[in-house]
Amino acid sequence: MKDQSIFELLHTMDQVTNKLIIQWNKSFKESLGISHILVLSHLQVNGKSRPSDIAKNLGITPPSLTNLANKLVSKNLIVRLFDEKDRRNSYLEITDAGIAMVNKAADEGQNLRRNLFEKLSKDERRQLTSIYEKLNHFL
């Protein structure tokens, strides 16, 4: 077997990620993408947050976060709050419906993960986790 170039390796990793996203979108019937769920999850874990902080934490642009937030607000999954002293400062906060949506997404994610990773042996799952943890440490 010849050595893979970094580009072939990245391409293979991208293919797996893209197929996972496609599977997620097929199975999660709530017309929300993974990015929406990541925003909701951030708010559930961190509480009320400034949009710029969320964007930075998730590695997305502020305009992209605005689009995600607009959809989440329209679905009553988050609310916008304004600083009483300076209305230019806004915050996003998850609602009870948003928490329920995160929980629903987590359940669906568990099913997807179980269906995919049951195809690997216990040792292969351990190796995969170890490899990703090691690579993450260096990035």
Side-chain angles (χ1 to χ4, degrees), residues 29-96:
K29 306 287 187 209
E30 297 296 331
S31 73
L32 295 174
I34 291 170
S35 296
H36 294 101
I37 301 303
L38 288 171
V39 171
L40 290 171
S41 296
H42 173 93
L43 291 169
Q44 184 180 31
V45 169
N46 298 291
K48 178 175 76 170
S49 300
R50 294 180 332 160
S52 59
D53 293 337
I54 299 168
K56 184 176 181 179
N57 182 269
L58 297 179
I60 58 178
T61 65
S64 293
L65 180 68
T66 298
N67 289 331
L68 294 168
N70 287 343
K71 184 168 185 175
L72 294 171
V73 167
S74 74
K75 291 181 166 287
N76 298 313
L77 300 173
I78 65 172
V79 292
R80 278 193 179 88
L81 305 170
F82 294 94
D83 188 327
E84 292 178 14
K85 295 176 184 168
D86 186 350
R87 291 194 48 84
R88 293 175 293 178
N89 294 326
S90 67
Y91 297 89
L92 300 175
E93 186 171 52
I94 194 166
T95 64
D96 289 342

Side-chain angles (χ1 to χ4, degrees), residues 93-112:
E93 186 171 52
I94 194 166
T95 64
D96 289 342
I99 292 170
M101 186 64 71
V102 170
N103 293 335
K104 184 175 184 178
D107 290 344
E108 192 59 45
Q110 288 284 61
N111 291 334
L112 179 61

Side-chain angles (χ1 to χ4, degrees), residues 18-34:
N18 290 339
K19 288 177 182 178
L20 273 171
I21 291 169
I22 289 167
Q23 286 298 317
W24 164 261
N25 289 333
K26 284 181 182 177
S27 66
F28 195 63
K29 306 287 187 209
E30 297 296 331
S31 73
L32 295 174
I34 291 170

